[in-house]
Amino acid sequence: MKTHARVVVVGGGVVGASVLYHLAKAGWRDVVLVERDELTSGSTWHAAGGMHTLNGDPNVTKLQEYTIKLYSEIEAASGQSCGVHITGGVNLAGTPERMDFLRLARARARYLGLAMEIISVEEAQNLFPLLDKRHFVGALYNPLEGHVDPAGVTNAYAKAARNLEAEVYRFTRVVELIARADGGWDIVTDKGTIHAEHVVNAGGLWAREVGRMAGLELPVLAMEHQYVLTGDVPEAVAAVNSGSELLHVIDFEGEIYMRQEGRGMLIGTYEKAGVPWSERETPWNFTHELLLPDLDRIAPSLEVGFRHFPALERAGIRRVINGPFTFAPDGNPLIGPIRGLSNHWVACGVMAGFSQGGGVGLALANWMIDGDPGFDVWAMDVARFGEWASPAYTNAKVRENYSRRFRIRFPNEELPAARPLRTTPVYDTLKARGAVFGAAFGVEHALWFAPHGMEPREDVTYRRSNAHGPVGEECRAVRRAVGLLEIATFARHKVAGRDAATWLDRMLAGRMPREGRLALSPMLNDKGKLIGDFTVANAGGDRYFVFGSGIAEQYHRRWLDAHLRAYGVRIESLADEWMGLAIAGPRSRELLARVSPADVSAEAMPFLSFRRIEVATLPAHVGRISFTGELGYEIWVPAQSQVALHDALVEAGADLGLRHFGARALHSLRLEKSFGNWAREYRPIYTPAEAGLGRFVDWTKPDFIGRSAMVQDRSHPPSRRLCTFVVEAADADAIGDEPISRDGSVIGWVTSGGYGHCVGKSIALGYVTASVAAATEGFEIEILGERRRAVRCAHPLYDPDGRKMRA
Ligand SMILES: Cc1cc2nc3c(=O)[nH]c(=O)nc-3n(C[C@H](O)[C@H](O)[C@H](O)COP(=O)(O)OP(=O)(O)OC[C@H]3O[C@@H](n4cnc5c(N)ncnc54)[C@H](O)[C@@H]3O)c2cc1C
């Protein structure tokens, strides 16, 4: 065994083997994989091997396509068969809502270049004769579905990697991980120690235990999962005899997936009452073992399956397989570097290893080699969870996710498990006023307020919900008078120290504000791509406050912390210490003047000022800025004073027409202003020029991260541009990820959409190919299967000159 390596991958399941292969393929030498037993000894060996491209997140869909297409490459590189069967698949809908879901999936597939088709029940039955038509209303046909041999795939990755000089040490268990002063790791195994530059946790069922070796509590949990093999099914026997194969099937209402296995069928189900396995610790002696079958638990789903596919009942059950595999709280993988640990990477929580393993391996290898995953992995980034994602939270969320695996998650749906988890001091006050809450990065925040007499509950739907009316009222109150919004979902970081200004100046692409001022600034990576959009406040005395998106708090801290070394700078999150309320609207100045002795006139406190003043007898930091496009202020006070601030504003604002508003209204108001949002319009695949943020980049600065990449980019104009559209919608607005077409061709995609209540129009923001970005007419946006006429607007729909917010 080597004593030095560039990378040690811990774990020889399908994911670890894929990471190893991708590192070796990219040219890294001295990469080794350490497996405590035979390869595949975790959940990989007993998987059903099914694969498909259907996923709620288009970036994960793309990654799944990559994985499936990779199998021929690794077969050729290794000489090892992966046992690939591409049969195509039929995804069956039993309700109109499910058809909407499938239409959305088909629409996304159109801009991703994937051939999926909506088909009738009759066509579905022609493709899959076992189904009873009476239970279905339509289906989606996906040609890129099938199954593989799990052991074949894992060995093919490993052999292909070995052919590229990577090494695999089987029957070698990692028992300790020791961080070294040189930034590397000592990987202590039962056969000796390897000093490596990088370590990758691909421990699958033991990812938690491997994480704990580095002091981490990763949010992953294994669930028991069962599938059954039936006896002979005549259609399957006929297929065997004719050398063909039945298609894959997902029956969403039955909550089952199915494929042919020999002369019968394999039927798997994600039952509602799923059972976690080894909730606290995975035993080290668990290897190539199955769990006790529990048919009673999956009987309700099987009964539906037997009704929907009568031939299955006649065939009977031949065998039951029960095995554990791991999930993250939202069901997507956990990948990437860990904040605060040098060269420590994770690739775990991969619940669909045969659809996702290849893409996960590619992303992680790119990230390790180039410092960037190379494509959009926001939905899988381990940084989407913080320390608040405790084992109990993970347990509740994983169970919820498992039980809903085949259920629709509507765009306006907030899932209830493990909530409320993180509440702010005004939570109860807002609740008493009818707030309907959502959770972002674990924090409860008001989405909208049900008026007196209306139940504070939102109907989940793809169309406009029962919140439409009240949200409209909230928007109008902001535009006409003054609205009050809790800004719990804004991240707030304090950056202080003698080098704070110099350091921030290099970290951010924008101009640093003068003392007492705010500035908007993008943050870029070395490739000149957007990794943050911040509001920076200069509080004087080498103190800056940096406000960003709350869901990206960990993501941003990982980047900032990694660049902190050797500077006289401290960063601190104020998430627990500072609580905020924003007031916005033409009467917000009047309101602030009533509760503050400070001079808050337009002259004393112009747009983009930042002041420490007294508000409602409290020491507050106030920034004159608003995401609504109105005159507005963001007021930050110590956490214990938030309720007092709230009550004082409410009392003083009563006769000014003050109304509470929530995230839904804010979304509508910002669409009317064409303001982009992190994780929607701003993601690490876009450049500032594409996103329309070029004006916030300070070219006069000699140096900032991403500058040289931007200089190179400057010679050729951006290939796509963020645009605003007015859509001729009916009762449903765009939500994001719909294709934008022109002359019958897909030329872009929607990033957010919704109804602009004050302009009375359905609005969508989205990226389109730059060559058509100047056109106004001729666009179409597909909403729930219908192409709707869309007109591009050259200017924001509301107050295009920005006079109101500068008033
Ligand atoms: C019944 C069942 C059916 C399934 N069906 C499908 C399906 O149809 N399609 C699909 O895509 N997925 C399916 N899955 C899920 C699939 O099995 C997982 O997505 C996949 O196996 C995850 O692979 P992994 O490499 O992350 O983890 P694992 O397979 O658990 O691999 C982790 C490896 O790390 C090793 N290891 C851990 N700790 C150490 C250590 N300290 N030192 C050395 N080695 C260590 C382990 O021995 C193990 O081999 C199914 C799972 C089950 C249980």
Side-chain angles (χ1 to χ4, degrees), residues 491 493 504 507-508 519-524 531-537 545-549 552 555-557 559-560 625 682 696:
H493 311 276
L504 266 181
M507 295 306 298
L508 304 180
L520 304 180
S521 176
M523 182 162 76
L524 309 181
I531 54 168
D533 65 314
F534 294 119
T535 305
V536 185
F545 298 105
V546 177
F547 303 98
S549 165
Y555 173 85
H556 288 142
R557 279 304 296 272
W559 177 262
L560 294 170
I625 192 166
Y682 309 145
F696 295 113

PDB file of all heavy atoms in Angstrom, residues 491 493 504 507-508 519-524 531-537 545-549 552 555-557 559-560 625 682 696:
ATOM      1  N   ALA A 491     -29.061  36.859   4.733  1.00  0.00           N
ATOM      2  CA  ALA A 491     -27.868  36.551   5.527  1.00  0.00           C
ATOM      3  C   ALA A 491     -27.195  37.864   5.900  1.00  0.00           C
ATOM      4  O   ALA A 491     -27.249  38.833   5.139  1.00  0.00           O
ATOM      5  CB  ALA A 491     -26.913  35.695   4.718  1.00  0.00           C
ATOM      6  N   HIS A 493     -23.473  39.152   7.457  1.00  0.00           N
ATOM      7  CA  HIS A 493     -22.123  38.812   7.908  1.00  0.00           C
ATOM      8  C   HIS A 493     -21.428  40.107   8.324  1.00  0.00           C
ATOM      9  O   HIS A 493     -21.540  41.113   7.627  1.00  0.00           O
ATOM     10  CB  HIS A 493     -21.295  38.183   6.788  1.00  0.00           C
ATOM     11  CG  HIS A 493     -21.985  37.066   6.057  1.00  0.00           C
ATOM     12  ND1 HIS A 493     -21.987  35.769   6.501  1.00  0.00           N
ATOM     13  CD2 HIS A 493     -22.687  37.041   4.895  1.00  0.00           C
ATOM     14  CE1 HIS A 493     -22.653  35.011   5.641  1.00  0.00           C
ATOM     15  NE2 HIS A 493     -23.082  35.753   4.674  1.00  0.00           N
ATOM     16  N   LEU A 504     -12.029  42.709   1.361  1.00  0.00           N
ATOM     17  CA  LEU A 504     -13.345  42.687   0.706  1.00  0.00           C
ATOM     18  C   LEU A 504     -13.247  43.221  -0.712  1.00  0.00           C
ATOM     19  O   LEU A 504     -13.913  42.731  -1.626  1.00  0.00           O
ATOM     20  CB  LEU A 504     -14.337  43.556   1.489  1.00  0.00           C
ATOM     21  CG  LEU A 504     -15.207  42.867   2.517  1.00  0.00           C
ATOM     22  CD1 LEU A 504     -16.140  43.884   3.171  1.00  0.00           C
ATOM     23  CD2 LEU A 504     -16.046  41.739   1.903  1.00  0.00           C
ATOM     24  N   MET A 507     -12.216  40.414  -2.740  1.00  0.00           N
ATOM     25  CA  MET A 507     -13.202  39.330  -2.803  1.00  0.00           C
ATOM     26  C   MET A 507     -14.384  39.685  -3.704  1.00  0.00           C
ATOM     27  O   MET A 507     -14.969  38.829  -4.349  1.00  0.00           O
ATOM     28  CB  MET A 507     -13.766  39.015  -1.403  1.00  0.00           C
ATOM     29  CG  MET A 507     -12.775  38.471  -0.403  1.00  0.00           C
ATOM     30  SD  MET A 507     -11.893  37.026  -0.981  1.00  0.00           S
ATOM     31  CE  MET A 507     -13.191  35.852  -1.226  1.00  0.00           C
ATOM     32  N   LEU A 508     -14.758  40.969  -3.696  1.00  0.00           N
ATOM     33  CA  LEU A 508     -15.962  41.383  -4.411  1.00  0.00           C
ATOM     34  C   LEU A 508     -15.588  42.150  -5.680  1.00  0.00           C
ATOM     35  O   LEU A 508     -14.566  42.844  -5.730  1.00  0.00           O
ATOM     36  CB  LEU A 508     -16.834  42.270  -3.517  1.00  0.00           C
ATOM     37  CG  LEU A 508     -17.242  41.654  -2.166  1.00  0.00           C
ATOM     38  CD1 LEU A 508     -18.108  42.626  -1.382  1.00  0.00           C
ATOM     39  CD2 LEU A 508     -17.997  40.343  -2.367  1.00  0.00           C
ATOM     40  N   ALA A 519     -23.386  49.586  -0.962  1.00  0.00           N
ATOM     41  CA  ALA A 519     -23.117  49.370  -2.386  1.00  0.00           C
ATOM     42  C   ALA A 519     -23.537  47.951  -2.749  1.00  0.00           C
ATOM     43  O   ALA A 519     -23.406  47.040  -1.934  1.00  0.00           O
ATOM     44  CB  ALA A 519     -21.633  49.566  -2.674  1.00  0.00           C
ATOM     45  N   LEU A 520     -24.034  47.804  -3.960  1.00  0.00           N
ATOM     46  CA  LEU A 520     -24.384  46.461  -4.431  1.00  0.00           C
ATOM     47  C   LEU A 520     -23.160  45.888  -5.127  1.00  0.00           C
ATOM     48  O   LEU A 520     -22.502  46.593  -5.895  1.00  0.00           O
ATOM     49  CB  LEU A 520     -25.553  46.525  -5.409  1.00  0.00           C
ATOM     50  CG  LEU A 520     -26.802  47.210  -4.861  1.00  0.00           C
ATOM     51  CD1 LEU A 520     -27.918  47.226  -5.886  1.00  0.00           C
ATOM     52  CD2 LEU A 520     -27.285  46.491  -3.600  1.00  0.00           C
ATOM     53  N   SER A 521     -22.846  44.651  -4.850  1.00  0.00           N
ATOM     54  CA  SER A 521     -21.648  44.088  -5.470  1.00  0.00           C
ATOM     55  C   SER A 521     -21.799  42.616  -5.770  1.00  0.00           C
ATOM     56  O   SER A 521     -22.185  41.830  -4.903  1.00  0.00           O
ATOM     57  CB  SER A 521     -20.449  44.270  -4.540  1.00  0.00           C
ATOM     58  OG  SER A 521     -19.340  43.628  -5.124  1.00  0.00           O
ATOM     59  N   PRO A 522     -21.474  42.200  -6.987  1.00  0.00           N
ATOM     60  CA  PRO A 522     -21.400  40.770  -7.263  1.00  0.00           C
ATOM     61  C   PRO A 522     -20.122  40.184  -6.675  1.00  0.00           C
ATOM     62  O   PRO A 522     -19.134  40.902  -6.477  1.00  0.00           O
ATOM     63  CB  PRO A 522     -21.341  40.683  -8.792  1.00  0.00           C
ATOM     64  CG  PRO A 522     -21.427  42.073  -9.319  1.00  0.00           C
ATOM     65  CD  PRO A 522     -21.175  43.007  -8.176  1.00  0.00           C
ATOM     66  N   MET A 523     -20.158  38.885  -6.387  1.00  0.00           N
ATOM     67  CA  MET A 523     -18.921  38.164  -6.037  1.00  0.00           C
ATOM     68  C   MET A 523     -18.726  37.120  -7.139  1.00  0.00           C
ATOM     69  O   MET A 523     -19.681  36.457  -7.543  1.00  0.00           O
ATOM     70  CB  MET A 523     -19.058  37.496  -4.663  1.00  0.00           C
ATOM     71  CG  MET A 523     -17.775  36.777  -4.232  1.00  0.00           C
ATOM     72  SD  MET A 523     -17.736  36.451  -2.440  1.00  0.00           S
ATOM     73  CE  MET A 523     -18.865  35.087  -2.286  1.00  0.00           C
ATOM     74  N   LEU A 524     -17.490  37.000  -7.606  1.00  0.00           N
ATOM     75  CA  LEU A 524     -17.205  36.105  -8.727  1.00  0.00           C
ATOM     76  C   LEU A 524     -16.215  35.036  -8.311  1.00  0.00           C
ATOM     77  O   LEU A 524     -15.424  35.235  -7.389  1.00  0.00           O
ATOM     78  CB  LEU A 524     -16.597  36.895  -9.888  1.00  0.00           C
ATOM     79  CG  LEU A 524     -17.339  38.155 -10.337  1.00  0.00           C
ATOM     80  CD1 LEU A 524     -16.607  38.814 -11.509  1.00  0.00           C
ATOM     81  CD2 LEU A 524     -18.756  37.808 -10.751  1.00  0.00           C
ATOM     82  N   ILE A 531     -20.957  34.087  -8.025  1.00  0.00           N
ATOM     83  CA  ILE A 531     -21.163  33.201  -6.874  1.00  0.00           C
ATOM     84  C   ILE A 531     -21.812  33.945  -5.709  1.00  0.00           C
ATOM     85  O   ILE A 531     -21.996  33.388  -4.636  1.00  0.00           O
ATOM     86  CB  ILE A 531     -19.869  32.489  -6.425  1.00  0.00           C
ATOM     87  CG1 ILE A 531     -18.764  33.498  -6.151  1.00  0.00           C
ATOM     88  CG2 ILE A 531     -19.430  31.464  -7.448  1.00  0.00           C
ATOM     89  CD1 ILE A 531     -17.576  32.872  -5.436  1.00  0.00           C
ATOM     90  N   GLY A 532     -22.157  35.198  -5.938  1.00  0.00           N
ATOM     91  CA  GLY A 532     -22.870  35.917  -4.884  1.00  0.00           C
ATOM     92  C   GLY A 532     -23.316  37.274  -5.378  1.00  0.00           C
ATOM     93  O   GLY A 532     -22.733  37.827  -6.327  1.00  0.00           O
ATOM     94  N   ASP A 533     -24.383  37.782  -4.808  1.00  0.00           N
ATOM     95  CA  ASP A 533     -24.795  39.171  -5.057  1.00  0.00           C
ATOM     96  C   ASP A 533     -25.106  39.775  -3.703  1.00  0.00           C
ATOM     97  O   ASP A 533     -26.017  39.369  -3.020  1.00  0.00           O
ATOM     98  CB  ASP A 533     -26.000  39.235  -6.000  1.00  0.00           C
ATOM     99  CG  ASP A 533     -27.241  38.622  -5.408  1.00  0.00           C
ATOM    100  OD1 ASP A 533     -27.138  37.526  -4.839  1.00  0.00           O
ATOM    101  OD2 ASP A 533     -28.332  39.227  -5.492  1.00  0.00           O
ATOM    102  N   PHE A 534     -24.291  40.738  -3.317  1.00  0.00           N
ATOM    103  CA  PHE A 534     -24.359  41.260  -1.947  1.00  0.00           C
ATOM    104  C   PHE A 534     -24.694  42.745  -1.904  1.00  0.00           C
ATOM    105  O   PHE A 534     -24.438  43.483  -2.860  1.00  0.00           O
ATOM    106  CB  PHE A 534     -23.003  41.096  -1.251  1.00  0.00           C
ATOM    107  CG  PHE A 534     -22.593  39.668  -1.022  1.00  0.00           C
ATOM    108  CD1 PHE A 534     -21.444  39.156  -1.597  1.00  0.00           C
ATOM    109  CD2 PHE A 534     -23.359  38.839  -0.213  1.00  0.00           C
ATOM    110  CE1 PHE A 534     -21.064  37.841  -1.365  1.00  0.00           C
ATOM    111  CE2 PHE A 534     -22.984  37.523   0.019  1.00  0.00           C
ATOM    112  CZ  PHE A 534     -21.835  37.027  -0.560  1.00  0.00           C
ATOM    113  N   THR A 535     -25.205  43.154  -0.747  1.00  0.00           N
ATOM    114  CA  THR A 535     -25.259  44.565  -0.410  1.00  0.00           C
ATOM    115  C   THR A 535     -24.219  44.744   0.693  1.00  0.00           C
ATOM    116  O   THR A 535     -24.285  44.058   1.718  1.00  0.00           O
ATOM    117  CB  THR A 535     -26.646  44.947   0.143  1.00  0.00           C
ATOM    118  OG1 THR A 535     -27.624  44.560  -0.818  1.00  0.00           O
ATOM    119  CG2 THR A 535     -26.734  46.434   0.392  1.00  0.00           C
ATOM    120  N   VAL A 536     -23.281  45.645   0.461  1.00  0.00           N
ATOM    121  CA  VAL A 536     -22.209  45.842   1.437  1.00  0.00           C
ATOM    122  C   VAL A 536     -22.417  47.190   2.119  1.00  0.00           C
ATOM    123  O   VAL A 536     -22.657  48.193   1.446  1.00  0.00           O
ATOM    124  CB  VAL A 536     -20.831  45.857   0.731  1.00  0.00           C
ATOM    125  CG1 VAL A 536     -19.710  45.948   1.758  1.00  0.00           C
ATOM    126  CG2 VAL A 536     -20.662  44.628  -0.127  1.00  0.00           C
ATOM    127  N   ALA A 537     -22.331  47.192   3.446  1.00  0.00           N
ATOM    128  CA  ALA A 537     -22.473  48.441   4.200  1.00  0.00           C
ATOM    129  C   ALA A 537     -21.142  48.766   4.854  1.00  0.00           C
ATOM    130  O   ALA A 537     -20.515  47.889   5.465  1.00  0.00           O
ATOM    131  CB  ALA A 537     -23.543  48.258   5.274  1.00  0.00           C
ATOM    132  N   PHE A 545     -20.694  45.398   6.926  1.00  0.00           N
ATOM    133  CA  PHE A 545     -21.746  44.389   7.022  1.00  0.00           C
ATOM    134  C   PHE A 545     -22.079  43.965   5.601  1.00  0.00           C
ATOM    135  O   PHE A 545     -22.256  44.819   4.722  1.00  0.00           O
ATOM    136  CB  PHE A 545     -22.977  44.940   7.744  1.00  0.00           C
ATOM    137  CG  PHE A 545     -22.666  45.343   9.154  1.00  0.00           C
ATOM    138  CD1 PHE A 545     -22.538  46.676   9.506  1.00  0.00           C
ATOM    139  CD2 PHE A 545     -22.441  44.369  10.126  1.00  0.00           C
ATOM    140  CE1 PHE A 545     -22.213  47.048  10.802  1.00  0.00           C
ATOM    141  CE2 PHE A 545     -22.112  44.739  11.429  1.00  0.00           C
ATOM    142  CZ  PHE A 545     -21.995  46.072  11.766  1.00  0.00           C
ATOM    143  N   VAL A 546     -22.127  42.659   5.409  1.00  0.00           N
ATOM    144  CA  VAL A 546     -22.369  42.139   4.075  1.00  0.00           C
ATOM    145  C   VAL A 546     -23.687  41.368   4.115  1.00  0.00           C
ATOM    146  O   VAL A 546     -23.813  40.394   4.858  1.00  0.00           O
ATOM    147  CB  VAL A 546     -21.195  41.220   3.646  1.00  0.00           C
ATOM    148  CG1 VAL A 546     -21.455  40.612   2.284  1.00  0.00           C
ATOM    149  CG2 VAL A 546     -19.883  41.997   3.644  1.00  0.00           C
ATOM    150  N   PHE A 547     -24.668  41.827   3.335  1.00  0.00           N
ATOM    151  CA  PHE A 547     -25.985  41.196   3.329  1.00  0.00           C
ATOM    152  C   PHE A 547     -26.147  40.397   2.041  1.00  0.00           C
ATOM    153  O   PHE A 547     -25.832  40.880   0.958  1.00  0.00           O
ATOM    154  CB  PHE A 547     -27.094  42.260   3.404  1.00  0.00           C
ATOM    155  CG  PHE A 547     -26.964  43.151   4.615  1.00  0.00           C
ATOM    156  CD1 PHE A 547     -26.370  44.410   4.519  1.00  0.00           C
ATOM    157  CD2 PHE A 547     -27.423  42.728   5.854  1.00  0.00           C
ATOM    158  CE1 PHE A 547     -26.248  45.227   5.621  1.00  0.00           C
ATOM    159  CE2 PHE A 547     -27.296  43.541   6.976  1.00  0.00           C
ATOM    160  CZ  PHE A 547     -26.715  44.794   6.862  1.00  0.00           C
ATOM    161  N   GLY A 548     -26.637  39.169   2.185  1.00  0.00           N
ATOM    162  CA  GLY A 548     -26.828  38.325   1.003  1.00  0.00           C
ATOM    163  C   GLY A 548     -28.019  37.422   1.201  1.00  0.00           C
ATOM    164  O   GLY A 548     -28.846  37.628   2.097  1.00  0.00           O
ATOM    165  N   SER A 549     -28.072  36.386   0.387  1.00  0.00           N
ATOM    166  CA  SER A 549     -29.199  35.472   0.470  1.00  0.00           C
ATOM    167  C   SER A 549     -28.990  34.488   1.630  1.00  0.00           C
ATOM    168  O   SER A 549     -27.923  33.880   1.746  1.00  0.00           O
ATOM    169  CB  SER A 549     -29.297  34.706  -0.846  1.00  0.00           C
ATOM    170  OG  SER A 549     -30.131  33.603  -0.666  1.00  0.00           O
ATOM    171  N   ALA A 552     -27.878  30.906   1.020  1.00  0.00           N
ATOM    172  CA  ALA A 552     -26.494  30.710   0.578  1.00  0.00           C
ATOM    173  C   ALA A 552     -25.497  31.051   1.693  1.00  0.00           C
ATOM    174  O   ALA A 552     -24.308  31.197   1.431  1.00  0.00           O
ATOM    175  CB  ALA A 552     -26.221  31.561  -0.658  1.00  0.00           C
ATOM    176  N   TYR A 555     -22.771  28.484   1.916  1.00  0.00           N
ATOM    177  CA  TYR A 555     -22.094  28.479   0.620  1.00  0.00           C
ATOM    178  C   TYR A 555     -21.124  29.671   0.533  1.00  0.00           C
ATOM    179  O   TYR A 555     -19.969  29.528   0.125  1.00  0.00           O
ATOM    180  CB  TYR A 555     -23.187  28.555  -0.450  1.00  0.00           C
ATOM    181  CG  TYR A 555     -22.743  28.731  -1.869  1.00  0.00           C
ATOM    182  CD1 TYR A 555     -22.392  27.628  -2.649  1.00  0.00           C
ATOM    183  CD2 TYR A 555     -22.706  29.992  -2.468  1.00  0.00           C
ATOM    184  CE1 TYR A 555     -22.020  27.787  -3.978  1.00  0.00           C
ATOM    185  CE2 TYR A 555     -22.331  30.155  -3.786  1.00  0.00           C
ATOM    186  CZ  TYR A 555     -21.987  29.055  -4.536  1.00  0.00           C
ATOM    187  OH  TYR A 555     -21.610  29.215  -5.851  1.00  0.00           O
ATOM    188  N   HIS A 556     -21.616  30.819   0.934  1.00  0.00           N
ATOM    189  CA  HIS A 556     -20.751  32.001   0.876  1.00  0.00           C
ATOM    190  C   HIS A 556     -19.651  31.958   1.923  1.00  0.00           C
ATOM    191  O   HIS A 556     -18.508  32.303   1.634  1.00  0.00           O
ATOM    192  CB  HIS A 556     -21.595  33.277   1.042  1.00  0.00           C
ATOM    193  CG  HIS A 556     -22.418  33.564  -0.181  1.00  0.00           C
ATOM    194  ND1 HIS A 556     -23.688  34.062  -0.134  1.00  0.00           N
ATOM    195  CD2 HIS A 556     -22.128  33.383  -1.499  1.00  0.00           C
ATOM    196  CE1 HIS A 556     -24.150  34.196  -1.372  1.00  0.00           C
ATOM    197  NE2 HIS A 556     -23.221  33.781  -2.209  1.00  0.00           N
ATOM    198  N   ARG A 557     -19.982  31.502   3.117  1.00  0.00           N
ATOM    199  CA  ARG A 557     -18.965  31.433   4.165  1.00  0.00           C
ATOM    200  C   ARG A 557     -17.849  30.464   3.794  1.00  0.00           C
ATOM    201  O   ARG A 557     -16.682  30.683   4.093  1.00  0.00           O
ATOM    202  CB  ARG A 557     -19.593  31.038   5.501  1.00  0.00           C
ATOM    203  CG  ARG A 557     -20.247  32.174   6.242  1.00  0.00           C
ATOM    204  CD  ARG A 557     -19.302  33.352   6.501  1.00  0.00           C
ATOM    205  NE  ARG A 557     -18.200  33.000   7.371  1.00  0.00           N
ATOM    206  CZ  ARG A 557     -18.222  33.071   8.695  1.00  0.00           C
ATOM    207  NH1 ARG A 557     -19.306  33.503   9.308  1.00  0.00           N
ATOM    208  NH2 ARG A 557     -17.165  32.732   9.403  1.00  0.00           N
ATOM    209  N   TRP A 559     -16.670  29.897   0.887  1.00  0.00           N
ATOM    210  CA  TRP A 559     -15.793  30.588  -0.057  1.00  0.00           C
ATOM    211  C   TRP A 559     -14.991  31.683   0.655  1.00  0.00           C
ATOM    212  O   TRP A 559     -13.775  31.805   0.490  1.00  0.00           O
ATOM    213  CB  TRP A 559     -16.648  31.179  -1.187  1.00  0.00           C
ATOM    214  CG  TRP A 559     -15.874  31.971  -2.197  1.00  0.00           C
ATOM    215  CD1 TRP A 559     -15.730  33.324  -2.234  1.00  0.00           C
ATOM    216  CD2 TRP A 559     -15.150  31.462  -3.328  1.00  0.00           C
ATOM    217  NE1 TRP A 559     -14.972  33.699  -3.309  1.00  0.00           N
ATOM    218  CE2 TRP A 559     -14.593  32.580  -4.008  1.00  0.00           C
ATOM    219  CE3 TRP A 559     -14.906  30.194  -3.845  1.00  0.00           C
ATOM    220  CZ2 TRP A 559     -13.823  32.445  -5.169  1.00  0.00           C
ATOM    221  CZ3 TRP A 559     -14.141  30.070  -4.997  1.00  0.00           C
ATOM    222  CH2 TRP A 559     -13.600  31.176  -5.640  1.00  0.00           C
ATOM    223  N   LEU A 560     -15.678  32.472   1.455  1.00  0.00           N
ATOM    224  CA  LEU A 560     -15.004  33.583   2.136  1.00  0.00           C
ATOM    225  C   LEU A 560     -13.957  33.047   3.114  1.00  0.00           C
ATOM    226  O   LEU A 560     -12.815  33.511   3.134  1.00  0.00           O
ATOM    227  CB  LEU A 560     -16.029  34.455   2.876  1.00  0.00           C
ATOM    228  CG  LEU A 560     -17.030  35.208   1.973  1.00  0.00           C
ATOM    229  CD1 LEU A 560     -18.139  35.850   2.794  1.00  0.00           C
ATOM    230  CD2 LEU A 560     -16.320  36.273   1.126  1.00  0.00           C
ATOM    231  N   ILE A 625     -32.638  51.140   1.536  1.00  0.00           N
ATOM    232  CA  ILE A 625     -32.651  50.280   0.349  1.00  0.00           C
ATOM    233  C   ILE A 625     -33.901  49.422   0.434  1.00  0.00           C
ATOM    234  O   ILE A 625     -34.414  49.174   1.535  1.00  0.00           O
ATOM    235  CB  ILE A 625     -31.368  49.410   0.301  1.00  0.00           C
ATOM    236  CG1 ILE A 625     -31.213  48.745  -1.052  1.00  0.00           C
ATOM    237  CG2 ILE A 625     -31.322  48.391   1.433  1.00  0.00           C
ATOM    238  CD1 ILE A 625     -29.832  48.167  -1.296  1.00  0.00           C
ATOM    239  N   TYR A 682     -29.376  34.504 -10.456  1.00  0.00           N
ATOM    240  CA  TYR A 682     -27.928  34.562 -10.193  1.00  0.00           C
ATOM    241  C   TYR A 682     -27.465  33.220  -9.664  1.00  0.00           C
ATOM    242  O   TYR A 682     -27.820  32.816  -8.558  1.00  0.00           O
ATOM    243  CB  TYR A 682     -27.614  35.678  -9.186  1.00  0.00           C
ATOM    244  CG  TYR A 682     -28.229  37.016  -9.561  1.00  0.00           C
ATOM    245  CD1 TYR A 682     -28.700  37.881  -8.588  1.00  0.00           C
ATOM    246  CD2 TYR A 682     -28.334  37.397 -10.904  1.00  0.00           C
ATOM    247  CE1 TYR A 682     -29.274  39.110  -8.942  1.00  0.00           C
ATOM    248  CE2 TYR A 682     -28.911  38.613 -11.259  1.00  0.00           C
ATOM    249  CZ  TYR A 682     -29.383  39.455 -10.273  1.00  0.00           C
ATOM    250  OH  TYR A 682     -29.955  40.655 -10.626  1.00  0.00           O
ATOM    251  N   PHE A 696     -22.413  46.783 -12.074  1.00  0.00           N
ATOM    252  CA  PHE A 696     -21.958  46.763 -10.674  1.00  0.00           C
ATOM    253  C   PHE A 696     -20.500  46.299 -10.539  1.00  0.00           C
ATOM    254  O   PHE A 696     -19.984  46.183  -9.438  1.00  0.00           O
ATOM    255  CB  PHE A 696     -22.857  45.852  -9.827  1.00  0.00           C
ATOM    256  CG  PHE A 696     -24.271  46.366  -9.731  1.00  0.00           C
ATOM    257  CD1 PHE A 696     -25.315  45.681 -10.318  1.00  0.00           C
ATOM    258  CD2 PHE A 696     -24.536  47.549  -9.054  1.00  0.00           C
ATOM    259  CE1 PHE A 696     -26.616  46.166 -10.240  1.00  0.00           C
ATOM    260  CE2 PHE A 696     -25.837  48.045  -8.967  1.00  0.00           C
ATOM    261  CZ  PHE A 696     -26.881  47.353  -9.567  1.00  0.00           C
TER     262      PHE A 696
END
